[in-house]
Each structure stands twice: as C-alpha cells, then as structure tokens.
Amino acid sequence: MECLIGKSTEQLEQLAASMQQPALRGRQLARWMYRRGVSSFDEMTDLPKSLRATLTNSFAVRAATVVGVTRSDDEVTKFALRFPGLGYAECVRMPSRGRTAICVSTQIGCPVGCAFCASGQSGFHGNLTAGHIVEQVLTALDSSDDDDIAQASVNVVYMGMGEPFLNYEHTVRSIRLLRTEMGIGARSITVSTIGLPKRIRQFAEDEPQVNLAISLHAPTDKLRRQLIPRRCCPVRELLAAVRDYIALTNRRVSFEYVLIAGLNDGRSDARRVGELLRDMLCHVNVIPYNATGTDFRAPMRQRCAAFCELLRQEGVNATLRASRGRGAEAACGQLRARMEAEDRAESAEDA
Ligand code: SAH
Ligand code: SF4
C-alpha cells in the first residue's frame, strides 16, 4: 500500500485534488502527519469521516512497523523499524541538555565498510527514502507531549546506519521535509559523512545552514584507507573540499576522530592532525572506539585525554566526549557516541 510520509504539502494538495477534494485537505493531511505526528487517518478528526475511510482503504500514513523499543538507564531509547521489502533500520532518541536528539539512519547497512563500524561490517542492504528518514524522526517523537512538533526542541543527527552522501538526494530531500513540513531549524540538523568532495561542495549550495560533520579518523591516506576501505578519498582532496565548504557557508565544520589503541592514537598522529586543521574554522570530536566485536580496542582514558590535549596544543579546538549510555545493549553504542560528540561540540560552541 502506498504511504504518504515523504510527500510535501504541495504533493498532498495534488493528491487531494486527484480525489476531487479541495487543496485544504492536503494541508490538513500534512499538518496531522508532520506537525501532530499521527500515524492513522482515523486520528485526523477534522477530515470528513468518508474521506478518512477512503484514505484508510487506499493509503497508509507511515511505511514501517516498529518492531522493538529499548530503553537504557540514561533515557536513551532505541527504535528498531522494519521497512517492508527493505529490512531493518534503527533510530535513537536521547535527551541532551534540555533538548531531544534524534539520530537517524540513511541506509540499511553501509557500503563503505569501515573496519571499526558495526553498520559497515554488516554489508549494504539498500537506501532509505526521504520519507523513511523522516518517519524515523516522527517515530522517535511519538511519545512527545508537544501538540506541534515544531515546538519540541529537537536536534536531528544523521549519524545512524549508512553514509548520507551515498544516498544524497534522499538525504537532502528529507532535510527539506524536516525543515519545511516539521518546522525543525536547519541549525538543529547535523549530517555526518566520510566526506565525498563533490557532495561536500554540493551540500554547501544545497543546505548551507545545516551542520556538517566529517569523519576524519586518520591524518594520512594510508591509515585512513585502512580504516575506511571504500569511497575513501585522499586527505588533501577531502580537506580542499572542506575549505571550499567553509568559504561558501562561513560555517564551522566538525571533524570526528574515532580513537583506536595503537592505530591512530599516537602523538605523531595528533601532531599531523594539528598541522592539517590548525588554520581551519573547525572543531574536532575525539571519540574513543566503541566496542563492536572487532579486535580493535579503545585507548585508555588518559591516552584519549592526552591526544585531545595535544590537538589543543597544536591550536585545534578539540573535545573528548564523555561516555554515556552504558548498560546499553539498549542503545547502539555507535549512534550514542556520535550524538554525545555532537552535544559536546554544541557545548563548546556555546562557551
Ligand atoms: N557514515 C557516516 C555517518 C554514520 S556513522 C559517517 O561515517 O560519518 C557516524 C559516526 O559514527 C562516524 O563518525 C563513525 O566513524 C562513528 N562510528 C562508527 N563506528 C563506531 C564505533 N565503533 N565507535 C565509535 N564511533 C563509531
Ligand atoms: Fe558507513 Fe559511517 Fe559506518 Fe563507515 S562509519 S561504515 S561510512 S556508517
């Protein structure tokens, strides 16, 4: 059955017209789906009953079935969604400094195959559509008390499964829906990417107000390629694209650096990162590797702190993220880590 999530107000107005209904009905549909977050036509009480029945027979509001909800001690909630014909995706909701952060997936699995990442190691099973991405946000907000989602203080981070820039069109379209249909501000949205230069430049044109996070992880091509086996471009080209992005948007970029013991956590690595980023409008989030069943290990806490301190001495803004969400088979370590890193970056920005 066709589902309506993912359609813009304009498309819903056209749908109404095709059903011999006034355009107003399309706008009502959009308000119920994106602002009130309802998931059945029956709840749309200002639509005529006969129209609700017709819609129920022909369409669904959302695509996925929520097949699991797990909550950890510290209020981190993970939702597992099954998209028919595609597979499982997950999103995570966590409170963060008086706001709600929601982490969404853009693909099922990931084609990049990063050596340290659970999504990368699980293979690639398909792209999610813009509607699927927005649906994750709506699902995570289902228990929210706000009458209008635009009033809820929500941050959306594209840090779940998948590489957003390998599903670029749907990623950008989902951002437009979050902004225009749900009323979420561009600056409350962050996209994390391994960094495809062409897409970074395009993103500066398409969504200059959305926050951009680049997964760097290593200062040299050799090491970076070892960690990011596919779609990994030379560091020089990556940083040239980031410089263009900053020149175009005047926005500060975040770099993410997952710290792995004995691999990329040396003093010389920190110095090299310093040399690369020193003069850039950026912030580095240093994130100790979260165990995902590989042979990698996170460095000792002290060593992580020392790496971060070295970056600062090199003149680069850097924050070591605090560990949170333990006890957590309940929540995906990876997603949690990224949201926390984002949180930290914001704190630093506010300071
Ligand atoms: N594909 C995008 C976005 C999803 S991954 C990207 O790679 O940026 C989001 C972040 O989680 C990335 O910075 C990634 O490096 C990080 N990550 C993946 N696995 C991790 C792990 N086991 N421990 C800590 N961070 C991890
Ligand atoms: Fe894909 Fe990001 Fe995981 Fe790498 S870290 S495999 S790019 S999801």
Side-chain angles (χ1 to χ4, degrees), residues 11 27 31 37 39 48 62 93 101 136 138 140 163 165 167-168 201 203 215 253 257 263 303 335:
Q11 288 170 319
R27 294 196 289 278
R31 203 157 46 237
S39 55
R62 299 187 188 171
R93 183 187 71 211
Q136 294 170 55
L138 289 166
E163 168 46 49
F165 283 1
N167 188 14
Y168 186 82
R201 293 187 174 97
F203 199 63
S215 292
V253 166
Y257 197 100
L263 249 180
R303 191 169 171 92
L335 308 186

Side-chain angles (χ1 to χ4, degrees), residues 80-143:
L81 283 76
R82 186 169 56 78
F83 289 98
L86 257 180
Y88 294 88
E90 52 185 37
C91 61
V92 174
R93 183 187 71 211
M94 72 181 283
S96 96
R97 300 192 307 136
R99 296 177 66 86
T100 300
I102 299 171
C103 178
V104 294
S105 300
T106 52
Q107 299 183 307
I108 298 192
C110 183
V112 180
C114 294
F116 52 85
C117 169
S119 311
Q121 294 304 301
S122 73
F124 173 58
H125 308 282
N127 283 323
L128 293 165
T129 65
H132 295 156
I133 297 168
V134 170
E135 182 167 336
Q136 294 170 55
V137 179
L138 289 166
T139 302
L141 288 172
D142 273 345
S143 57

Side-chain angles (χ1 to χ4, degrees), residues 107 109-121 159-164 166 192-194 215 217 227-230 334 338:
Q107 299 183 307
C110 183
V112 180
C114 294
F116 52 85
C117 169
S119 311
Q121 294 304 301
M159 294 185 177
M161 276 197 288
E163 168 46 49
L166 288 178
S192 173
T193 174
I194 45 142
S215 292
H217 307 326
L227 293 170
I228 308 173
R230 291 183 287 278
Q334 171 197 349
R338 322 289 356 107

Side-chain angles (χ1 to χ4, degrees), residues 17 20 69 84 117 176 183 210 212 220 240 266-267 325:
Q20 283 74 51
V69 180
C117 169
R176 301 260 153 88
V210 167
L212 182 66
T220 63
R267 296 177 72 83

Side-chain angles (χ1 to χ4, degrees), residues 264-338:
N264 62 356
D265 64 338
R267 296 177 72 83
S268 59
D269 296 312
R271 268 193 219 101
R272 283 200 190 104
V273 172
E275 278 161 26
L276 292 171
L277 305 185
R278 189 173 291 139
D279 61 343
M280 221 185 253
L281 182 60
C282 72
H283 182 95
V284 180
N285 291 310
V286 177
I287 304 116
Y289 164 70
N290 244 306
T292 53
T294 64
D295 291 338
F296 296 134
R297 282 185 304 109
M300 303 290 279
R301 195 80 198 165
Q302 244 177 344
R303 191 169 171 92
C304 297
F307 188 91
C308 217
E309 186 48 40
L310 261 175
L311 287 182
R312 288 193 207 107
Q313 283 169 17
E314 290 289 326
V316 175
N317 286 317
T319 315
L320 178 63
R321 78 156 184 93
S323 187
R324 188 177 169 191
R326 270 176 210 278
E329 275 212 342
C332 168
Q334 171 197 349
L335 308 186
R336 230 179 30 250
R338 322 289 356 107

